[in-house]
């Protein structure tokens, strides 16, 4: 689409106004997906404002849990400083895949061919006369 497309579309990344609004704000970190996290200014209640600039599509499910907690003031320190390291059995966070080719499709779904396994003998169809 070229250069003008991201200027006007918020769903395809940050708009020009968002980039201008970063002036005077503090960049506090970056996650494994390349999202940038900022803090600066205060809301009417005096709570510091925190926000994310997404690397790619603007999708809230692309914020890892540790950064979600920081964005919503569940902990004050940056996740790299306040949280313990990830355990070896923990899986990395992944975005919501609904609507993509990688989405889960059960065997009876139309996108997966529309054929499901035949019902077994424990199923009895309902009829209005019964």
């Amino acid at each position: 689409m070229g250069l003008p497309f991201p200027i006007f579309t918020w769903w395809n990344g940050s708009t020009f106004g968002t980039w201008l609004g970063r002036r005077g704000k503090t960049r506090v970190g970056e996650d494994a997906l390349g999202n940038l996290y900022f803090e600066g200014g205060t809301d009417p209640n005096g709570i510091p404002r925190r926000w994310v600039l997404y690397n790619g599509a603007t999708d809230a499910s692309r914020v890892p849990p540790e950064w979600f907690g920081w964005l919503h003031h569940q902990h004050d320190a940056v996740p790299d400083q306040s949280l313990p390291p990830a355990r070896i059995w923990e899986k990395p966070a992944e975005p919501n895949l609904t609507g993509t080719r990688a989405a889960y499709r059960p065997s009876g779904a139309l996108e997966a061919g529309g054929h499901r396994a035949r019902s077994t003998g424990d199923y009895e169809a309902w009829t209005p006369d019964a």
Side-chain angles (χ1 to χ4, degrees):
M1 283 284 162
L3 181 62
F5 190 66
I7 293 174
F8 303 108
T9 58
W10 58 266
W11 59 87
N12 198 28
S14 301
T15 61
F16 185 65
T18 304
W19 284 98
L20 283 178
R22 288 185 350 171
R23 293 180 307 184
K25 309 304 189 275
T26 307
R27 179 179 163 186
V28 295
E30 182 176 349
D31 65 15
L33 297 172
N35 299 326
L36 304 175
Y37 297 89
F38 293 88
E39 185 173 40
T42 57
D43 70 1
N45 297 321
I47 300 172
R49 290 187 186 265
R50 296 175 176 174
W51 70 96
V52 59
L53 291 182
Y54 296 98
N55 180 20
T58 301
D59 181 8
S61 71
R62 296 184 64 231
V63 175
E66 60 272 10
W67 282 101
F68 178 88
W70 178 82
L71 281 171
H72 294 272
H73 299 280
Q74 293 174 348
H75 47 85
D76 289 330
V78 177
D80 300 337
Q81 301 166 358
S82 65
L83 298 176
R87 310 282 181 156
I88 59 171
W89 45 265
E90 290 180 304
K91 290 184 177 181
E94 61 180 42
N96 183 352
L97 301 174
T98 302
T100 67
R101 291 185 182 270
Y104 171 71
R105 292 179 173 86
S107 60
L110 293 175
E111 297 88 0
H115 300 288
R116 63 175 181 82
R118 303 276 307 163
S119 61
T120 59
D122 62 346
Y123 175 77
E124 185 176 327
W126 176 83
T127 59
D129 300 330

